[in-house]
Amino acid sequence: YNCEQKLKGSDKDLKLALKILPTKFQDIAVAALFVTSSTTRGTKTTTTMDAIFNGLGAALGFAALHAANDYIFKPQDLGCLCPPLGAVAVLLFSMPMAPASQPKAVIGGHLIAGAVSCAVVMMELPQYGEMAAVALTITLMSMLEMTHPPAGAYAFLYVNKGMKPIGMLAPGLAGACVLICTQQVFLRIKAAVLPKLKKH
């Protein structure tokens, strides 16, 4: 779909990013700007510097996703890019301490979504596949205390696209793991650099 139409009426920064950046890097800019703006608006205790770092983290996360996709997954006829990962990035980089942002929830949620959705696709439910996949994913995540909202979106995507069994691992779980690794490295860098910047 047309990204500019989707963002019609939203932040000017997002529209500008779509115009000046090559298509390949538009999602990086959108994710970074969204994380930055949502953090600034939603939390009064978050400083501007924190918000900027959150956006930078998301940008690095998507840069890592593109690199992994192009050099690791594509040669294997796989991928690690899908829309729900935008929401994963928001959680990991702007709300790293939230229960839904913990590796257990991120990985567990995607494993549950993948397994449930694969079963639903194999059952060939004609009209209610997405509903069944999302509902069962939410139920199991809640029971196992692994609630991760983007996993629900991945369950919908999986069934809607009729993915093959490999969809249990890629692109959702694989992409989430790349983002987690990037987040863990970035948080250590942020913890070392941010206090020094705030002193100046």
Side-chain angles (χ1 to χ4, degrees):
Y1 50 83
N2 188 303
C3 289
E4 193 162 359
Q5 286 182 349
K6 184 182 178 185
L7 293 170
K8 185 177 181 181
S10 62
D11 291 345
K12 293 181 180 179
D13 290 338
L14 294 176
K15 291 182 179 180
L16 180 61
L18 293 176
K19 290 180 180 179
I20 65 176
L21 287 174
T23 303
K24 182 176 181 180
F25 299 106
Q26 287 178 359
D27 59 343
I28 298 176
V30 170
L33 287 167
F34 180 78
V35 171
T36 302
S37 61
S38 62
T39 304
T40 305
R41 295 169 187 168
T43 309
K44 293 182 179 179
T45 58
T46 301
T47 66
T48 301
M49 190 64 69
D50 285 320
I52 291 172
F53 266 82
N54 293 345
L56 286 174
L60 288 175
F62 272 87
L65 278 173
H66 275 287
N69 187 71
D70 293 344
Y71 298 108
I72 298 175
F73 291 97
K74 269 189 178 180
Q76 312 300 324
D77 292 325
L78 297 172
C80 66
L81 290 168
C82 61
L85 294 177
V88 176
V90 173
L91 286 171
L92 290 178
F93 293 101
S94 67
M95 303 171 62
M97 302 306 294
S101 303
Q102 303 312 303
K104 173 186 174 182
V106 179
I107 295 173
H110 278 88
L111 283 172
I112 292 169
V116 167
S117 301
C118 182
V120 170
V121 169
M122 293 177 68
M123 292 172 64
E124 297 182 352
L125 299 177
Q127 295 180 336
Y128 305 105
E130 293 97 337
M131 176 193 71
V134 174
L136 287 171
T137 296
I138 291 173
T139 300
L140 290 174
M141 287 194 300
S142 299
M143 291 175 61
L144 297 173
E145 297 183 349
M146 295 180 180
T147 298
H148 180 65
Y154 187 68
F156 179 91
L157 178 69
Y158 192 120
V159 177
N160 185 261
K161 297 296 183 182
M163 293 184 186
K164 297 179 180 179
I166 192 64
M168 289 188 288
L169 300 177
L173 178 61
C177 288
V178 172
L179 286 177
I180 289 173
C181 292
T182 307
Q183 181 226 34
Q184 293 299 308
V185 174
F186 182 77
L187 288 180
R188 285 165 173 75
I189 296 173
K190 179 181 176 181
V193 174
L194 191 57
K196 296 179 181 178
L197 292 176
K198 287 183 176 180
K199 290 180 180 179
H200 297 288

